[in-house]
Amino acid sequence: MSDPYLSAILDEAERVAEQHDQIARSTDHPTHEYLRYAVLRLLEGEADETTANIPEIDGVTVGYGEDEAMFDSWGDDVEWWETVPTREECTRFRIFYPDEYKIVPRVIVDVMAVLGAWRVWAGNAAACGSYDHRERREVHYLWPEGHPVEERLHERLAGPAAAVAPDGGRTGDIRDRMVVTEDSSQLADLEPRTRRAVDEAMAVSLLEKGGRYEVQSASGSWYEVDVISESCTCPDWQQRAPEGGCKHIRRVDHEIKQGRVPRPDGRLPTGLNQT
């Protein structure tokens, strides 16, 4: 049940991001927007293609919106919030289906389950003032912003550069370049930031498994480097975000390749001095 439907949702969300990116231009949570629009297209039979054989049901209509906004519009006029109070930062899906189904169709249950949404209300559509749907029933699901499925989509949209490399680091970043040593004759040919990253006195330690490192610079300042998101808290990165990373990001890359610090996955590299 779960895996094929999840793949179908993610595949459709990718197409939404590529072909209908305008739907997320006014939101701070684009992956959330892409995913909920993908669910609409899948359940309404509008998806271009899917990797799963998702049954189509004629007469299904999907609506959604912020739960708090719906409460502000409907308030006490409906019974939706009597069982489950309104939730902050949650999408409420309203899914309409033909009245001939006495229980919620299985395909709706399965799709919403793999999305990570939970059912909070079901009943006759007309009873909730949905007069355009008076011959149908509806079921409501809540789905929180920041759900792990969003991260799955983010990884897909980020492309190969976001993949974890076999050495526990990342593919497509500075560690795919030539590894240098402090006495290498090639140091002089390196770009200035990389040369400073290798030359300057810095202390690097793994702050948290998952790619977060702490760097103490020669000036005594402390900065946090995240090699997965390729970010640093130093002013150079925050203000300029130089291509290839600031010297602290490059130094962490260098230390990982030299085997002096644990890899981003927390494992000790072969040959690391553990004394």
Side-chain angles (χ1 to χ4, degrees):
M1 176 272 290
S2 298
D3 289 345
Y5 282 8
L6 179 57
S7 295
I9 292 172
L10 291 170
D11 289 346
E12 184 60 24
E14 277 193 88
R15 283 188 285 272
V16 168
E18 294 170 359
Q19 302 170 15
H20 307 282
D21 65 307
Q22 68 275 12
I23 69 170
R25 289 175 184 170
S26 61
T27 178
D28 294 329
H29 305 280
T31 53
H32 190 85
E33 192 65 48
Y34 296 145
L35 283 162
R36 62 185 192 175
Y37 189 53
V39 167
L40 179 152
R41 289 175 58 82
L42 283 169
L43 291 179
E44 291 189 356
E46 298 295 329
D48 296 329
E49 56 184 85
T50 66
T51 56
N53 184 22
I54 296 182
E56 291 188 17
I57 300 177
D58 291 336
V60 170
T61 304
V62 179
Y64 55 76
E66 295 298 323
D67 195 37
E68 287 186 308
M70 286 192 177
F71 180 79
D72 290 341
S73 297
W74 292 84
D76 297 332
D77 294 337
V78 292
E79 61 185 55
W80 302 344
W81 294 278
E82 291 181 2
T83 304
V84 179
T86 180
R87 298 294 182 92
E88 295 181 359
E89 299 181 343
C90 266
T91 287
R92 177 177 288 257
F93 285 93
R94 298 181 64 191
I95 305 175
F96 300 89
Y97 57 93
D99 193 55
E100 64 192 69
Y101 292 90
K102 301 308 177 185
I103 61 173
V104 180
R106 185 69 190 183
V107 62
I108 295 175
V109 174
D110 289 349
V111 167
M112 301 311 290
V114 298
L115 184 68
W118 66 94
R119 185 165 67 178
V120 293
W121 189 87
N124 185 280
C128 282
S130 304
Y131 300 114
D132 291 340
H133 306 287
R134 55 183 174 273
E135 300 298 326
R136 295 197 280 176
R137 300 180 63 80
E138 66 176 299
V139 59
H140 295 194
Y141 288 86
L142 285 180
W143 185 50
E145 292 180 0
H147 191 277
V149 174
E150 293 182 44
E151 181 60 28
R152 294 279 296 273
L153 177 60
H154 176 75
E155 291 173 357
R156 284 190 174 209
L157 297 178
V164 176
D167 69 349
R170 296 185 63 194
T171 61
D173 64 15
I174 193 173
R175 287 190 298 282
D176 287 337
R177 305 174 188 174
M178 174 183 63
V179 179
V180 298
T181 59
E182 283 78 352
D183 59 352
S184 172
S185 61
Q186 298 163 325
L187 277 175
D189 297 328
L190 297 175
E191 56 185 308
R193 279 191 179 87
T194 302
R195 187 165 59 250
R196 291 198 300 273
V198 174
D199 278 346
E200 291 183 8
M202 298 187 204
V204 179
S205 59
L206 181 66
L207 186 62
E208 182 180 348
K209 187 167 68 174
R212 293 177 59 213
Y213 292 80
E214 191 173 58
V215 179
Q216 183 181 25
S217 68
S219 65
S221 299
W222 292 88
Y223 301 109
E224 185 176 314
V225 168
D226 189 325
V227 298
I228 302 302
S229 65
E230 293 185 352
S231 63
C232 180
T233 57
C234 74
D236 185 34
W237 177 259
Q238 296 296 317
Q239 297 171 16
R240 287 176 285 275
E243 183 178 358
C246 63
K247 65 181 181 181
H248 308 104
I249 293 175
R250 300 177 194 219
R251 180 56 174 261
V252 171
D253 286 330
H254 180 68
E255 295 293 296
I256 293 171
K257 278 299 189 184
Q258 293 296 323
R260 298 194 183 106
V261 296
R263 306 180 316 190
D265 58 10
R267 296 182 181 179
L268 298 176
T270 303
L272 180 65
N273 184 359
Q274 303 179 44
T275 59

